[in-house]
Amino acid sequence: MNNYLFRIRKAINGDQQRLTELSFASKRYWQYPEHYYTAWQSELTITRSYLEQNSVYIIENQALTVGYYSLVLLEKSLVVEGQALSRGYWLDHMFVLPEYIGTGLGRKLFAHLCTMCETKKIRSVNLLADPYARGFYEKMGCVYVKDCPSTIEGRTTPLLRIDFFSVV
């Protein structure tokens, strides 16, 4: 990874197609059955309005987009697929290209997320992780809360949380 020149920047209009492609490529790394990707079509597709409404940051190696994450603020609690999601901040996506998995790029993205949250005085972030990514998030300091139903019938996904400030 020493030969790479990484920079992190805020996503802009025009990035959505590349981020959508990256989402699917990264998810395919785990070789899920093909029908899962059909079920995930809307949640893995990044739109212009998604970029405008959320904090989305891209990591690039020179001009190549190699990963990104998105932070979403839920103004009020809501129920998705029978699962109650509490109001507050959620890490909605964190993906890297398959060839960069295991290189420390995810750690760089997560460190950027933590710095941004601390700067903005965000106390905690929740996330519904891919089951294969649970170990990564726990290494980053996230704490497992419980398993939740997935958008795929009969499958669960871990709910994790990271706290940045202790309540005084």
Side-chain angles (χ1 to χ4, degrees), residues 117-136:
C117 288
E118 290 171 0
T119 299
K120 293 184 175 191
K121 306 273 190 256
I122 295 171
R123 292 185 177 266
S124 63
V125 172
N126 297 299
L127 63 130
L128 290 168
D130 186 283
Y132 289 114
R134 177 180 169 179
F136 165 78

Side-chain angles (χ1 to χ4, degrees), residues 27-121:
K27 205 70 155 159
R28 285 185 190 285
Y29 176 83
W30 304 112
Q31 300 179 351
Y32 286 115
E34 195 58 37
H35 70 276
Y36 281 24
Y37 303 103
T38 302
W40 289 328
Q41 183 70 40
S42 65
E43 60 188 275
L44 293 179
T45 298
I46 304 301
T47 63
R48 180 180 183 166
S49 64
Y50 185 88
L51 293 180
E52 292 169 350
Q53 295 169 12
N54 302 295
S55 296
V56 182
Y57 288 88
I58 291 173
I59 189 164
E60 296 175 320
N61 176 20
Q62 297 175 13
L64 176 65
T65 299
V66 294
Y68 80 98
Y69 74 86
S70 60
L71 186 66
V72 172
L73 173 60
L74 290 183
E75 297 284 346
K76 57 184 177 180
S77 298
L78 61 101
V79 177
V80 177
E81 301 290 328
Q83 176 61 44
L85 303 180
S86 61
R87 66 184 285 276
Y89 288 92
W90 287 80
L91 178 61
D92 194 29
H93 297 299
M94 182 173 282
F95 290 115
V96 297
L97 287 174
E99 57 267 32
Y100 289 87
I101 292 174
T103 66
L105 199 63
R107 186 178 302 273
K108 285 183 186 300
L109 280 171
F110 201 86
H112 186 272
L113 167 71
C114 292
T115 299
M116 185 188 63
C117 288
E118 290 171 0
T119 299
K120 293 184 175 191
K121 306 273 190 256

Side-chain angles (χ1 to χ4, degrees), residues 15-34:
D15 289 327
Q16 55 269 31
Q17 180 64 36
R18 178 67 183 133
L19 296 182
T20 297
E21 291 167 1
L22 197 151
S23 299
F24 279 93
S26 183
K27 205 70 155 159
R28 285 185 190 285
Y29 176 83
W30 304 112
Q31 300 179 351
Y32 286 115
E34 195 58 37

Side-chain angles (χ1 to χ4, degrees), residues 4-20:
Y4 302 119
L5 301 172
F6 294 108
R7 79 175 181 121
I8 297 177
R9 67 168 175 85
K10 190 154 180 38
I12 58 171
N13 182 33
D15 289 327
Q16 55 269 31
Q17 180 64 36
R18 178 67 183 133
L19 296 182
T20 297

